[in-house]
């Protein structure tokens, strides 16, 4: 019997030897509710984390993305714990590719080297396939940071180098510097979805395509707006935290502006027998060819099932373009 996993077409991550599923599992929500960043999410039980990871990996995802700042290592530890459990069960999906990130605020590039063993320890001794600079703001230059990252590759601590939230200029500079060490920048992780398309206008997307750098899209459903849940039931907005409302565009004006796009997503969802969120994710991972991969999170098992279901079909070219036009129309209003 053909499995979901066998249906998923892998693609190269940047100009690396890593072959990844179009969607990976974002693990911010495994922060245990700890730390300034982790408090964004409530604590998820060990049993739920195990089920979420199991469904995601068995459904065809072959990589996960976490970070030091997600609960100060709590997300990495939670991930390692459930992967240990899957390994003990004899699961063939217990060893996904692992991406994590170094937090640069108020630190120098020396911290990249001095904290790498902590990251590996939090991950249960697992190797780091992609190590990313989480933000472009630190007390060191991009040159110093790329030198440190190259040193980690040479020392066998990590396999490849990525960045996150870098501008086009910063991304190109990081790539150029890595080339002097015989390496390339593999990825830039940025916010990107049908309601947030600044990288299409500020040079990031075009530079990524030119240099063969993958875009890893975070917040691919605009904090749930692209699922249509807030349009279908506006009373749900009240249950969302104030910080999340401010970040996501859940005010009345923004919701009205995005309504026609949600209508288009819903119509296609009816055609494909799926959800509007799955249509939004499908557009994201196919509109730019193989350039964009995405890391939707999942705080419930049903979210994980929807995520992997996204990779079992592909929108037609004219449907991708229809959503592209509806997206820009929503953003220009």
């Amino acid at each position: 019997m053909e499995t979901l996993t066998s249906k998923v077409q892998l693609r190269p991550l940047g100009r690396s030897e890593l072959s990844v599923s179009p969607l990976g599992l974002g693990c911010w929500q495994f922060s245990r509710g700890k730390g300034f960043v982790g408090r964004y999410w409530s604590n998820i039980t060990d049993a739920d984390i195990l089920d979420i990871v199991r469904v995601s990996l068995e459904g065809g995802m072959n990589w996960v993305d976490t970070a030091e700042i997600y609960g100060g290592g709590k997300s990495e530890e939670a991930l390692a714990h459930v992967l240990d459990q899957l390994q003990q069960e004899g699961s063939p999906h217990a060893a996904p590719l692992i991406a994590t990130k170094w937090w640069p605020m108020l630190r120098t590039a020396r911290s990249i080297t001095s904290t790498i063993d902590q990251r590996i320890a939090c991950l249960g001794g697992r190797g780091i396939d992609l190590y990313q600079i989480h933000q472009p703001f630190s007390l060191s230059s991009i040159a110093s940071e790329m030198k440190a990252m190259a040193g980690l590759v040479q020392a066998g601590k990590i396999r490849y180098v990525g960045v996150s939230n870098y501008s086009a200029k910063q991304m190109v500079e990081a790539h150029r510097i890595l080339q002097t060490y015989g390496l390339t920048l593999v990825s830039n992780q940025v916010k990107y979805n049908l309601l947030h398309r600044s990288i299409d206008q500020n040079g990031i997307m075009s530079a990524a395509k030119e240099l063969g750098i993958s875009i890893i899209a975070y917040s691919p459903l605009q904090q749930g707006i692209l699922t249509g849940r807030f349009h279908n039931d506006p009373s749900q907005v009240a249950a969302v935290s104030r910080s999340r409302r401010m970040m996501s565009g859940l005010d009345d004006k923004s919701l009205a502006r995005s309504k026609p796009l949600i209508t288009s997503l819903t119509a296609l969802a009816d055609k494909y027998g799926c959800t509007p969120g799955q249509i939004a994710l499908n557009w994201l991972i196919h509109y730019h060819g193989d350039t964009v991969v995405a890391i939707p999170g999942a705080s419930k098992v049903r979210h994980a099932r929807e995520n992997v279901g996204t990779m079992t079909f592909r929108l037609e070219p004219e449907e991708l373009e229809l959503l592209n036009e509806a997206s820009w129309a929503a953003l220009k209003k």
Side-chain angles (χ1 to χ4, degrees), residues 100-160:
T100 191
K101 313 178 201 67
W102 170 74
W103 185 249
M105 297 292 283
L106 301 177
R107 284 168 145 180
T108 68
R110 290 182 180 180
S111 170
I112 295 173
T113 304
S114 66
T115 61
I116 188 63
D117 288 339
Q118 295 173 19
R119 305 276 56 75
I120 294 171
C122 284
L123 289 164
R126 290 172 174 80
I128 296 173
D129 297 288
L130 178 67
Y131 201 37
Q132 303 155 94
I133 306 289
H134 206 145
Q135 295 278 354
F137 312 113
S138 78
L139 300 177
S140 291
S141 65
I142 291 176
S144 296
E145 291 176 351
M146 292 304 112
K147 179 180 179 181
M149 294 290 265
L152 294 183
V153 174
Q154 293 160 0
K157 297 282 188 178
I158 66 174
R159 292 180 66 187
Y160 295 100

Side-chain angles (χ1 to χ4, degrees), residues 8-322:
V8 175
Q9 294 291 317
L10 302 182
R11 60 181 65 174
L13 190 67
R15 292 179 177 170
S16 76
E17 295 181 357
L18 302 178
S19 293
V20 299
S21 49
L23 295 180
L25 178 62
C27 298
W28 179 14
Q29 69 277 13
F30 299 159
S31 301
R32 306 292 194 183
K34 302 293 184 180
F36 176 74
V37 170
R39 283 199 299 269
Y40 186 90
W41 298 94
S42 59
N43 193 5
I44 302 175
T45 67
D46 287 349
D48 284 344
I49 293 175
L50 176 60
D51 287 343
I52 288 166
V53 173
R54 188 201 310 277
V55 167
S56 298
L57 300 183
E58 289 180 354
M61 289 186 181
N62 75 336
W63 62 293
V64 295
D65 179 88
T66 182
E68 175 186 16
I69 197 64
Y70 298 164
K74 294 298 183 183
S75 171
E76 293 168 324
E77 290 173 353
L79 183 61
H81 178 66
V82 298
L83 292 178
D84 285 342
Q85 289 180 270
L86 291 177
Q87 191 170 18
Q88 290 166 9
E89 294 173 5
S91 171
H93 308 291
L97 299 172
I98 293 177
T100 191
K101 313 178 201 67
W102 170 74
W103 185 249
M105 297 292 283
L106 301 177
R107 284 168 145 180
T108 68
R110 290 182 180 180
S111 170
I112 295 173
T113 304
S114 66
T115 61
I116 188 63
D117 288 339
Q118 295 173 19
R119 305 276 56 75
I120 294 171
C122 284
L123 289 164
R126 290 172 174 80
I128 296 173
D129 297 288
L130 178 67
Y131 201 37
Q132 303 155 94
I133 306 289
H134 206 145
Q135 295 278 354
F137 312 113
S138 78
L139 300 177
S140 291
S141 65
I142 291 176
S144 296
E145 291 176 351
M146 292 304 112
K147 179 180 179 181
M149 294 290 265
L152 294 183
V153 174
Q154 293 160 0
K157 297 282 188 178
I158 66 174
R159 292 180 66 187
Y160 295 100
V161 179
V163 295
S164 181
N165 299 303
Y166 271 42
S167 68
K169 181 179 179 181
Q170 291 165 333
M171 181 179 72
V172 170
E173 181 182 0
H175 180 73
R176 179 186 63 79
I177 294 166
L178 283 173
Q179 285 185 307
T180 67
Y181 298 98
L183 304 171
T184 61
L185 184 69
V186 169
S187 59
N188 188 7
Q189 185 175 141
V190 293
K191 184 175 182 179
Y192 187 56
N193 60 60
L194 280 163
L195 287 173
H196 189 98
R197 300 188 62 180
S198 58
I199 69 169
D200 286 322
Q201 298 174 306
N202 62 18
I204 291 177
M205 182 66 78
S206 58
K209 289 181 177 180
E210 180 181 347
L211 298 174
I213 296 170
S214 286
I215 294 296
I216 300 177
Y218 68 76
S219 193
L221 292 175
Q222 188 63 14
Q223 301 298 311
I225 293 177
L226 289 167
T227 66
R229 55 180 285 217
F230 298 109
H231 295 80
N232 295 334
D233 182 8
S235 66
Q236 291 193 31
V237 175
V240 175
S241 67
R242 182 180 178 184
S243 60
R244 186 173 170 187
R245 288 199 301 268
M246 292 174 63
M247 290 172 60
S248 306
L250 281 168
D251 57 283
D252 292 342
K253 183 178 179 181
S254 296
L255 288 174
R257 189 170 64 240
S258 57
K259 178 64 176 176
L261 172 60
I262 300 302
T263 298
S264 296
L265 291 172
T266 302
L268 286 170
D270 290 342
K271 173 185 174 180
Y272 282 90
C274 64
T275 67
Q278 287 175 309
I279 296 294
L281 288 175
N282 200 277
W283 178 88
L284 196 61
I285 58 177
H286 292 306
Y287 185 73
H288 294 282
D290 286 348
T291 297
V292 178
V293 293
I295 46 170
S299 56
K300 295 180 175 62
V301 174
R302 63 179 174 83
H303 299 156
R305 291 195 182 100
E306 286 190 16
N307 289 342
V308 297
T310 298
M311 299 187 291
T312 63
F313 69 98
R314 181 169 186 154
L315 293 169
E316 297 295 333
E318 61 271 20
E319 294 167 339
L320 293 170
E321 190 53 45
L322 180 152

